[in-house]
């Protein structure tokens, strides 16, 4: 199997230009879209202290496997995102969680919002991303950043499963992260938690007492019921994940938020994922570079270093980076600048930002090369009945070469959120009696997402089958 230089860069969190340079050392002159074989990819990865293994799952043929000395690996706190339908209580729940904790820790302290909060339960930390919702989550994933370990799906007990509930759970599933369901607003007289369990079991989230493996917790963000229990369940799920990271290497993190502060210059909130970020480290994120001038923790306190799963505000970058960018600590500010310069040069190359996306036209070709194992589809239609009918018909199209997977199905126009999910999961979007809204259309063009619209179910099935057999008629 093969991987492009660009994808390898994304996988390793290393700028492609460095990979290109290393390949030159091996006498290979390649550009960013060139595909290299597994052996070469492995050699390069090893030079960066990372190992990769060949694994065929979820369209990812190369999986990251860091070569860490086991003695450097220590448990790290889980990173949690809160998702759910609008008005079901995501923001209130985050507030309740923070307040439960503030009283214990530092009453009266100024709680500064830096994009993520840390909470301590039974002596163990949990990190919450402050921007609730699956949109921000999937936008980061579309940029190649995997930040969240656990998703909390908030469902209002008096309202039930709504379109964005389904969207959120499908976004979390597509990212393959565990979901804990928080049934909120149980203080309300018309709350009906059993109905929520019933509804969610249709989407594969089955409570433990019904023989499934999804944890449900009844909470009230308003009346502060069940918050401690929810936090304990997060720790339980985190424990099963055995989250670990190397604390003793150069830091790598993800930009969660960034802004320009009049007095202090660019400020970035970084979630450190590996290694320890220290004052004075040379750093680079996208084309921003610099040196760590100051670090602040989630309580606004000055700190000297930050280890894995720590959100920190970082001062010292030359410009404001983009959320989802990878931040790397390098040997010096000088090296950081040279990487930034190389990236700026690379961006001038026309092919730099051309995404290599799946499309129905190229499906067969990619199948022949063994590059596609799953055909991920998002189905949007005018009625739930059509969504179900199309889902069932398409799933039957799977053959021994390719499995057709409907990663999300819903009623209504094709939205930006659908395009983002397609981008993050390399999917094609099918619209049945619905069209993309203008923003979605624009984004799809930019991200090169294949959107197909139909009026007859038979035509949908026919096109997918034809594409899988290499017989698709060109679109005019
Ligand atoms: P979000 O849109 O999901 O972030 O929802 P919000 O946190 O803004 O909450 C929406 C509304 O529901 C607000 O008016 C909250 O006061 C209310 N709300 C949130 N949690 C609860 C709860 O546990 N019980 C009750 N009764 N109301 C709640």
């Amino acid at each position: 199997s093969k991987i492009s230089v660009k994808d390898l860069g994304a996988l390793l969190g290393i700028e492609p230009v460095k990979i290109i340079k290393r390949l030159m050392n091996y006498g290979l002159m390649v550009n960013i879209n060139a595909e290299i074989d597994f052996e070469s990819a492995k050699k390069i990865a090893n030079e960066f202290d990372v190992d990769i293994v060949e694994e065929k799952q979820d369209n990812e043929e190369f999986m990251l496997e860091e070569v860490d000395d086991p003695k450097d690996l220590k448990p790290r706190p889980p990173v949690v995102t809160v998702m759910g339908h609008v008005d079901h209580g995501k923001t209130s729940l985050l507030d309740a969680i923070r307040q439960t904790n503030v009283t214990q820790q530092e009453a009266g302290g100024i709680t500064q919002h830096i994009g993520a909060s840390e909470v301590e339960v039974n002596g163990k930390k949990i990190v919450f991303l402050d921007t609730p919702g699956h949109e921000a989550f999937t936008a980061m994933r579309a940029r190649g950043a995997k930040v969240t370990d656990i998703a909390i799906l908030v469902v209002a007990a008096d309202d039930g499963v709504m379109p964005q509930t389904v969207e959120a759970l499908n976004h979390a599933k597509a990212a393959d992260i565990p979901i804990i369901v928080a049934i909120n607003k149980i203080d309300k007289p018309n709350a009906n938690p059993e109905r929520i369990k019933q509804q969610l079991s249709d989407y594969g989230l089955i409570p433990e007492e019904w023989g499934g493996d999804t944890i449900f917790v009844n909470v009230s963000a308003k009346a502060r019921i069940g918050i401690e229990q929810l936090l304990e369940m997060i720790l339980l799920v985190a424990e099963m994940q055995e989250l670990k990271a190397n604390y003793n290497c150069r830091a790598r993190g993800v930009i969660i938020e960034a802004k320009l502060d009049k007095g202090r210059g660019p400020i970035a909130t970084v979630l450190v994922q590996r290694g320890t970020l220290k004052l004075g480290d040379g750093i680079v994120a996208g084309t921003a570079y610099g040196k760590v001038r100051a670090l602040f923790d989630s309580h606004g306190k000055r700190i000297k270093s930050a280890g894995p799963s720590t959100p920190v505000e970082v001062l010292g970058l030359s410009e404001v980076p983009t959320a989802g960018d990878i931040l790397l600590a390098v040997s010096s500010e000088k090296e950081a600048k040279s990487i930034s310069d190389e990236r700026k040069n690379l961006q001038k190359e026309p092919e730099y930002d051309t995404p290599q996306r799946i499309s129905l036209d190229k499906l067969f070709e990619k199948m022949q090369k063994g590059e596609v194992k799953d055909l991920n589809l998002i189905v949007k239609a005018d009625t739930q009945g059509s969504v179900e009918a199309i889902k069932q018909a398409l799933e039957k199209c799977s053959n021994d070469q390719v499995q057709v997977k409907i990663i999300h199905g819903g009623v209504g126009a094709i939205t930006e959120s659908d395009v983002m999910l397609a981008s993050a999961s390399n999917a094609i979007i099918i619209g049945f009696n619905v069209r993309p809204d203008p923003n979605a259309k624009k984004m799809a063009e930019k991200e090169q997402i294949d959107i197909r619209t139909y009026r007859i179910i038979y035509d949908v099935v026919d096109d997918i089958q034809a594409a899988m057999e290499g017989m698709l008629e060109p679109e005019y």
Side-chain angles (χ1 to χ4, degrees):
S1 52
K2 287 180 173 257
I3 186 169
S4 74
V5 169
K6 193 176 170 198
D7 289 346
L8 182 62
L11 184 69
L12 303 178
I14 289 165
E15 51 293 349
V17 66
K18 273 203 160 179
I19 294 169
I20 292 170
K21 280 193 169 174
R22 300 289 167 129
L23 286 167
M24 278 180 193
N25 294 344
Y26 294 121
L28 288 168
M29 302 298 287
V30 296
N31 73 9
I32 186 157
N33 289 317
E35 308 241 305
I36 58 173
D37 62 20
F38 177 72
E39 281 312 311
S40 313
K42 191 175 169 73
K43 252 192 236 167
I44 300 287
N46 288 347
E47 290 190 19
F48 291 99
D49 283 348
V50 169
D51 201 9
I52 53 176
V53 289
E54 227 169 346
E55 237 182 76
K56 303 240 153 88
Q57 63 179 53
D58 292 343
N59 277 342
E60 270 181 336
E61 297 191 352
F62 294 81
M63 304 287 287
L64 194 70
E65 193 184 74
E66 268 135 18
V67 260
D68 293 310
D69 192 327
K71 78 175 192 315
D72 291 329
L73 287 178
K74 279 192 254 157
R76 65 167 180 85
V79 180
V80 180
T81 300
V82 176
M83 304 180 180
H85 195 73
V86 65
D87 281 347
H88 279 198
K90 299 180 291 294
T91 313
S92 308
L93 186 62
L94 274 169
D95 286 345
I97 287 167
R98 274 192 295 255
Q99 279 166 30
T100 310
N101 209 249
V102 165
T103 45
Q104 290 173 350
Q105 255 196 338
E106 22 136 39
I110 314 148
T111 335
Q112 194 185 349
H113 286 244
I114 69 164
S117 340
E118 285 166 295
V119 159
E120 211 167 290
V121 191
N122 307 333
K124 292 194 175 116
K125 265 188 194 161
I126 305 173
V127 179
F128 285 89
L129 297 183
D130 282 343
T131 314
H134 55 278
E135 292 87 356
F137 165 81
T138 299
M140 289 230 238
R141 216 160 66 76
R143 294 185 59 85
K146 289 175 189 157
V147 180
T148 306
D149 300 307
I150 297 168
I152 305 295
L153 184 66
V154 179
V155 189
D158 60 337
D159 200 21
V161 169
M162 298 299 277
Q164 283 172 56
T165 314
V166 176
E167 205 171 289
L169 76 88
N170 283 333
H171 280 233
K173 273 189 191 168
D176 206 18
I177 57 170
I179 298 169
I180 296 175
V181 180
I183 302 182
N184 190 30
K185 309 199 188 184
I186 55 147
D187 59 295
K188 287 203 162 185
N190 56 341
N192 188 351
E194 290 307 302
R195 191 174 132 244
I196 312 287
K197 289 181 188 169
Q198 199 94 51
Q199 289 175 332
L200 284 177
S201 63
D202 289 345
Y203 295 93
L205 297 182
I206 301 164
E208 287 177 314
E209 69 257 36
W210 296 358
D213 57 7
T214 304
I215 295 175
F216 284 71
V217 186
N218 289 348
V219 301
S220 166
K222 203 171 193 174
R224 304 281 137 90
I225 301 167
I227 307 296
E228 292 288 329
Q229 200 199 343
L230 176 64
L231 295 174
E232 277 162 22
M233 289 302 140
I234 293 170
L235 287 178
L236 188 77
V237 172
E239 220 162 87
M240 293 191 289
Q241 288 178 300
E242 294 184 34
L243 305 167
K244 283 184 179 160
N246 186 342
Y247 284 63
N248 291 329
C249 57
R250 268 190 206 149
R252 188 183 71 210
V254 178
I255 307 287
I256 305 291
E257 270 184 23
K259 61 180 182 207
L260 187 64
D261 182 281
K262 268 191 191 153
R264 301 189 292 172
I267 299 182
T269 298
V270 176
L271 180 78
V272 179
Q273 294 190 299
R274 180 170 193 251
T276 300
L277 187 64
K278 301 186 204 75
L279 281 178
D281 278 352
I283 44 172
V284 58
T287 55
Y289 70 93
K291 188 170 92 169
V292 180
R293 281 200 288 119
L295 292 171
F296 297 93
D297 70 8
S298 60
H299 306 291
K301 215 174 78 199
R302 252 176 206 278
I303 50 173
K304 290 199 170 103
S305 65
S309 290
T310 312
V312 271
E313 258 192 351
V314 178
L315 264 61
L317 283 168
S318 59
E319 56 185 273
V320 181
T322 310
D325 276 350
I326 304 289
L327 177 124
L328 288 175
V330 294
S331 61
S332 66
E333 186 172 6
K334 207 174 136 209
E335 193 192 344
K337 180 168 186 331
S338 94
I339 294 169
S340 157
D341 288 344
E342 282 161 4
R343 285 179 179 176
K344 282 176 189 156
N345 282 335
L346 258 176
Q347 284 183 351
K348 287 183 201 136
E349 284 184 31
E351 70 263 50
Y352 179 74
D353 248 347
T354 318
Q356 299 280 303
R357 297 290 187 214
I358 185 90
S359 69
L360 272 197
D361 300 326
K362 296 213 192 86
L363 177 65
F364 186 67
E365 194 187 318
K366 289 194 182 260
M367 280 169 61
Q368 296 298 79
K369 287 197 207 147
E371 289 174 5
V372 180
K373 294 278 165 263
D374 294 323
L375 174 57
N376 289 339
L377 298 175
I378 294 170
V379 176
K380 293 301 285 282
D382 53 346
T383 65
Q384 190 60 34
S386 307
V387 175
E388 291 307 322
I390 293 167
K391 251 168 121 171
Q392 282 182 14
L394 288 179
E395 270 162 0
K396 283 197 203 114
C397 294
S398 299
N399 59 27
D400 30 330
Q401 273 179 296
V402 173
Q403 206 193 346
V404 178
K405 283 189 180 166
I406 315 297
I407 60 168
H408 175 59
V411 176
I414 296 158
T415 62
E416 279 179 288
S417 168
D418 297 322
V419 177
M420 204 59 95
L421 179 62
S423 172
S425 301
N426 202 22
I428 292 168
I429 302 177
I430 308 276
F432 182 74
N433 286 332
V434 296
R435 316 209 115 257
D437 66 33
N439 289 337
K441 204 169 174 177
K442 239 183 272 162
M443 185 185 276
E445 270 162 29
K446 189 168 148 262
E447 299 282 324
Q448 303 205 357
I449 299 300
D450 195 4
I451 298 182
R452 303 259 166 169
T453 52
Y454 299 90
R455 299 200 161 274
I456 302 168
I457 293 189
Y458 174 81
D459 287 344
V460 185
V461 179
D462 208 36
D463 259 15
I464 298 292
Q465 267 171 349
M468 288 172 69
E469 285 157 19
M471 311 279 278
L472 190 70
E473 300 274 342
E475 240 199 5
Y476 297 107

